[in-house]
Amino acid sequence: MIHSIYSNKDVFLRELISNASDALDKLRLEALRGTELRADTSDLHIEIEVDKEHRTLTVRDNGIGMTHDEVVGLIGTIAKSGTAEFLRELKEAKDAAASQDLIGQFGVGFYSGFMVADQVTLVTRHATETRGTRWESTGEGTYTIEELDEAPQGTSVILRLKPEDTEDSLFDYTSPWKIKEIVKRYSDFITWPIRMATESTNADASATTDADAEADKSEDEAGEKDGEKAGDEPRLETLNSMKALWARSRDEVSDDEYHEFYKHISHDWNNPLETIRMQAEGTFEYQALLFIPSQAPLDLFMRERKRGVQLYVKRVFIMDDCEELMPEYLRFVKGVVDAQDLSLNVSRETLQQDRQIQLMRRRLVKKVLSTVKDMMSENAERYATFWKEFGRAVKEGLLDDFENRDAILEISSFASTHDPERPTTLRQYLDRMKDGQQHIYYMTGESRSIIESSPHMEAFREKGYEVLLLTDPIDEMWVGSVPEFDGKQFQSIAKGQVDLDTEEEKKEGEAEREQRKKDFAELLSWMTTTLSEQVKEVRLSSRLTTSPACVVGDTHDVTPQLENMFRAMGQDMPQIKRILELNPTHPLVTGLREAHSADPDAAGLAETAELIHGMAVLAEGGELSDPARFIKLMADRLRHTL
């Protein structure tokens, strides 16, 4: 699997270093929490060791380590929490690039080591235990595992390297210059020292070990260690600068560095769509480096999904997946927030009540939303990508983020009758509204084609009114709780009364409407009684031009789609009767009126009323309560026409 999907084999080292960095973060956090550890935390680091003679490369950390069960669960099984889904997606991936995306999203970068190695050995000991575990595999579908009486602190990954093959982009990964090149390109920002024994001069060493003035204690100690030896003897050299990207000014960091940092924290193989920097100073100081991905993660709508913002305090990693920093509807945002004034012992429980965290969250959300708004005006193509990937999630915020509801509506896009291909923003909709139009018209449904063919659309299409076509399940939820946008009310074309006539048209047609009310009064009263089990009222329609009838809801009724959603979630919903509207100009309706006027008790009139109601339900994509009876009635009527 691995051999067939990776195009850049160098990234194996990035993945192993990233895993080692995570292990060091976790150990330091446990130490800060006062966990009883069997580990030395005074010099946490990553070490790379090469053995040219035996062609092995070892990536070693003295971090948290793994228990025997964790090795089986995390290493022995591909993508612990999604093996079946991962393999299914991988099978469906059409090219190598798509497969790489899956590798990153499912977090199985450890396996990239098999690109460059015939055999991978892992030796690990958890920081709370005395015994260790050894795992080994040749990547052919099986592995061996054994417990060890003794093992060094942390985790070591030993790769028995394949022979060099430059034609296949398989380089000599025992070469110090190649290791340095990879670390500099992909892992220079890692906050832990990455060391390797090399033969270098003092000048060479100083070029790679200058510590940033803001470097923390671990960096200073690493620098001291690097300076202990001199001359051309083998020495431990720190390969990375350990400069936190979020603490550096924008002009000091290249886009490539930002992109690599994003890939490190997100395990995504694509570059981010947008990079967002924030720095707050004053009474409460923090720095943030956030990213909007270019592709939605596979777990975006899964129940066990995670949010992607990490919390640091004074550059000390505190927690991954900090839910308090980003709302659920922005769970796809990745990045780091580094606060200066929080306690290092902060917990998830105390975060929920922390005023500073709430303030940070409010500002972060506003910054993300304003960034997307800027994207709309400055780069329409990137915005289109954003909305295609994350629009469904963003609209969830319309239900619970009242403070930012207007901002969310401002960056939202919807399919509409204005353009069959391109969605529209609400601002664009308002700019195209007719003179005197007071509502933003919309209709919800399962698909664009179903909505466009609905009878409800007829009058709007004839008079040239634009209608938003809302087909996401979340649309059924938010339209009922969001009253308006910029002073214009949202109005479902499938609910309540619709009157599209101008004042002049109303005056001209007033006499005709009054006459129709009188002409159809008896029919409407009779049909309301006859269909009382199915509908609450039968009335004349102003929204139909070609169809004989349609069913509509009262202004505040739950839509059939939402009713079905609630029932699917196990909620007991009473049957909601709707209103049947008749087109007074349709021959079927006028014929029924004449037949009823001539003989109200004539056989078959009630069945005709049933058929008209059933056709109206089917025309909007609804489900009949008794399909078999409807088919029987229809078949009988067709038989009499032959």
Side-chain angles (χ1 to χ4, degrees):
M1 176 189 71
I2 294 297
H3 291 291
S4 65
I5 61 179
Y6 281 92
S7 56
N8 182 5
K9 296 179 174 59
D10 288 358
V11 297
F12 85 93
L13 189 55
R14 177 183 74 183
E15 291 302 299
L16 296 182
I17 290 174
S18 182
N19 291 343
S21 174
D22 290 344
L24 293 168
D25 284 340
K26 291 174 182 177
L27 180 61
R28 178 158 66 171
L29 179 59
E30 291 302 317
L32 290 170
R33 288 175 173 170
T35 305
E36 187 174 340
L37 302 173
R38 300 175 181 271
D40 179 7
T41 60
S42 62
D43 181 28
L44 300 180
H45 63 276
I46 300 166
E47 186 173 343
I48 299 174
E49 180 181 306
V50 296
D51 185 333
K52 287 182 173 289
E53 182 180 353
H54 297 96
R55 289 200 56 75
T56 63
L57 173 68
T58 301
V59 178
R60 180 182 299 113
D61 68 74
N62 56 351
I64 193 70
M66 287 181 281
T67 66
H68 182 275
D69 290 344
E70 286 174 336
V71 172
V72 173
L74 295 171
I75 304 298
T77 305
I78 292 179
K80 176 194 172 190
S81 60
T83 307
E85 176 74 7
F86 171 76
L87 293 177
R88 181 184 67 77
E89 294 275 357
L90 189 63
K91 192 174 183 180
E92 294 176 0
K94 296 181 180 179
D95 54 41
S99 299
Q100 287 188 29
D101 296 341
L102 293 174
I103 286 288
Q105 292 186 53
F106 274 94
V108 291
F110 167 81
Y111 294 93
S112 62
F114 287 103
M115 285 191 298
V116 300
D118 290 321
Q119 183 183 72
V120 177
T121 303
L122 180 142
V123 177
T124 185
R125 175 173 67 82
H126 194 271
T128 60
E129 299 183 346
T130 57
R131 293 171 60 84
T133 303
R134 177 188 176 93
W135 178 97
E136 192 167 87
S137 175
T138 57
E140 297 177 350
T142 62
Y143 64 86
T144 61
I145 190 167
E146 62 176 320
E147 291 194 23
L148 304 174
D149 292 333
E150 294 183 0
Q153 172 183 331
T155 300
S156 298
V157 180
I158 305 101
L159 308 177
R160 191 178 70 193
L161 297 170
K162 300 173 181 291
E164 182 179 1
D165 185 353
T166 53
E167 291 185 2
D168 190 33
S169 299
L170 186 61
F171 301 104
D172 180 8
Y173 295 108
T174 65
S175 169
W177 74 263
K178 184 62 180 175
I179 299 297
K180 290 181 182 180
E181 177 200 12
I182 297 173
V183 170
K184 193 68 179 175
R185 187 192 317 156
Y186 293 124
S187 307
D188 191 56
F189 51 80
I190 296 293
T191 55
W192 303 104
I194 303 171
R195 300 171 182 160
M196 181 173 66
T198 60
E199 294 183 1
S200 60
T201 64
N202 288 333
D204 292 336
S206 63
T208 58
T209 60
D210 286 341
D212 186 85
E214 299 175 351
D216 59 17
K217 182 179 178 182
S218 64
E219 294 172 72
D220 294 334
E221 291 174 351
E224 292 170 9
K225 178 178 285 292
D226 293 339
E228 287 174 1
K229 295 185 179 181
D232 296 327
E233 295 293 325
R235 59 193 299 280
L236 282 179
E237 180 182 344
T238 299
L239 307 183
N240 60 320
S241 67
M242 298 176 289
K243 294 179 181 178
L245 263 65
W246 60 87
R248 296 161 63 182
S249 63
R250 178 65 183 90
D251 57 4
E252 290 182 7
V253 186
S254 68
D255 287 341
D256 287 343
E257 287 179 295
Y258 281 133
H259 294 171
E260 288 307 324
F261 181 73
Y262 164 75
K263 293 172 184 178
H264 164 67
I265 62 173
S266 68
H267 300 289
D268 187 0
W269 292 83
N270 299 300
N271 289 334
L273 186 67
E274 193 70 38
T275 301
I276 304 171
R277 285 180 49 89
M278 284 185 69
Q279 183 160 341
E281 298 178 345
T283 55
F284 179 47
E285 297 185 2
Y286 65 90
Q287 297 161 319
L289 180 57
L290 305 178
F291 301 93
I292 298 176
S294 57
Q295 183 177 355
L298 294 171
D299 65 350
L300 185 62
F301 295 102
M302 293 181 183
R303 180 173 296 179
E304 300 301 323
R305 58 184 175 257
K306 291 186 176 182
R307 293 175 228 181
V309 177
Q310 300 175 353
L311 175 63
Y312 282 69
V313 175
K314 299 183 182 73
R315 293 186 60 190
V316 175
F317 173 79
I318 299 300
M319 70 179 66
D320 214 344
D321 184 29
C322 185
E323 297 180 0
E324 289 72 23
L325 286 173
M326 200 61 62
E328 179 76 7
Y329 71 93
L330 295 179
R331 56 188 174 273
F332 53 85
V333 175
K334 309 294 183 184
V336 166
V337 175
D338 188 357
Q340 303 302 310
D341 304 307
L342 290 177
S343 166
L344 291 175
N345 294 319
V346 69
S347 66
R348 292 189 185 273
E349 291 72 22
T350 58
L351 279 178
Q352 295 174 0
Q353 309 298 326
D354 193 282
R355 187 186 65 82
Q356 293 180 339
I357 286 289
Q358 294 172 1
L359 179 62
M360 275 198 297
R361 174 186 171 121
R362 189 175 298 119
R363 291 178 178 173
L364 292 172
V365 170
K366 289 185 181 300
K367 182 65 174 179
V368 171
L369 297 180
S370 66
T371 299
V372 176
K373 186 177 180 180
D374 292 341
M375 198 189 302
M376 290 177 71
S377 58
E378 297 170 5
N379 195 317
E381 184 176 342
R382 288 167 74 187
Y383 166 75
T385 299
F386 167 83
W387 193 254
K388 174 177 174 290
E389 295 293 329
F390 305 110
R392 283 177 59 196
V394 171
K395 284 187 286 187
E396 294 173 13
L398 294 172
L399 292 171
D400 50 33
D401 190 353
F402 303 106
E403 180 181 353
N404 293 296
R405 178 175 283 174
D406 289 342
I408 297 172
L409 288 173
E410 197 75 58
I411 66 168
S412 297
S413 290
F414 308 95
S416 95
T417 54
H418 175 71
D419 192 306
E421 301 292 336
R422 299 173 60 186
T424 183
T425 66
L426 293 176
R427 187 63 58 191
Q428 292 168 337
Y429 181 101
L430 263 56
D431 291 341
R432 292 191 295 266
M433 284 176 61
K434 289 178 173 292
D435 291 340
Q437 182 178 341
Q438 297 301 314
H439 297 94
I440 300 171
Y441 294 113
Y442 72 88
M443 184 174 175
T444 60
E446 292 186 4
S447 69
R448 182 183 186 115
S449 61
I450 289 177
I451 298 176
E452 287 185 320
S453 60
S454 169
H456 301 98
M457 293 288 298
E458 293 174 2
F460 291 86
R461 186 181 296 113
E462 183 180 80
K463 290 182 176 291
Y465 282 91
E466 182 176 354
V467 179
L468 301 180
L469 312 176
L470 309 181
T471 57
D472 287 336
I474 190 64
D475 292 330
E476 294 284 355
M477 308 287 289
W478 72 261
V479 290
S481 59
V482 179
E484 53 90 26
F485 173 72
D486 200 16
K488 298 295 183 181
Q489 300 286 317
F490 287 100
Q491 172 65 53
S492 170
I493 67 169
K495 285 185 180 183
Q497 295 276 11
V498 169
D499 188 356
L500 301 179
D501 290 340
T502 64
E503 291 299 322
E504 184 177 344
E505 290 172 333
K506 289 177 184 178
K507 290 180 181 179
E508 292 177 355
E510 186 174 355
E512 183 180 0
R513 284 197 302 274
E514 290 301 319
Q515 186 60 48
R516 280 178 178 169
K517 285 182 181 179
K518 294 178 182 178
D519 293 343
F520 281 87
E522 289 188 11
L523 176 67
L524 297 177
S525 177
W526 171 77
M527 288 187 70
T528 298
T529 302
T530 302
L531 299 174
S532 61
E533 292 295 319
Q534 289 83 32
V535 302
K536 67 171 69 173
E537 180 188 355
V538 181
R539 69 191 183 197
L540 294 182
S541 179
S542 60
R543 72 185 91 214
L544 297 174
T545 59
T546 57
S547 297
C550 68
V551 284
V552 301
D554 264 344
T555 304
H556 301 294
D557 277 354
V558 173
T559 64
Q561 293 87 355
L562 189 55
E563 188 179 342
N564 292 334
M565 286 172 58
F566 283 138
R567 288 202 176 100
M569 292 187 290
Q571 296 192 30
D572 186 18
M573 291 287 295
Q575 181 184 3
I576 299 175
K577 293 183 180 181
R578 304 177 74 203
I579 298 167
L580 178 65
E581 289 192 350
L582 302 180
N583 180 358
T585 64
H586 195 280
L588 176 58
V589 176
T590 57
L592 178 60
R593 182 185 69 82
E594 293 168 358
H596 178 266
S597 179
D599 183 2
D601 299 320
L605 285 183
E607 292 179 350
T608 301
E610 277 192 68
L611 286 171
I612 290 176
H613 174 257
M615 288 188 296
V617 172
L618 292 175
E620 70 164 4
E623 296 181 1
L624 298 172
S625 58
D626 191 349
R629 175 172 172 77
F630 179 83
I631 292 172
K632 180 180 181 301
L633 292 176
M634 183 67 75
D636 288 344
R637 289 305 172 92
L638 291 173
R639 178 171 57 83
H640 290 307
T641 64
L642 298 175

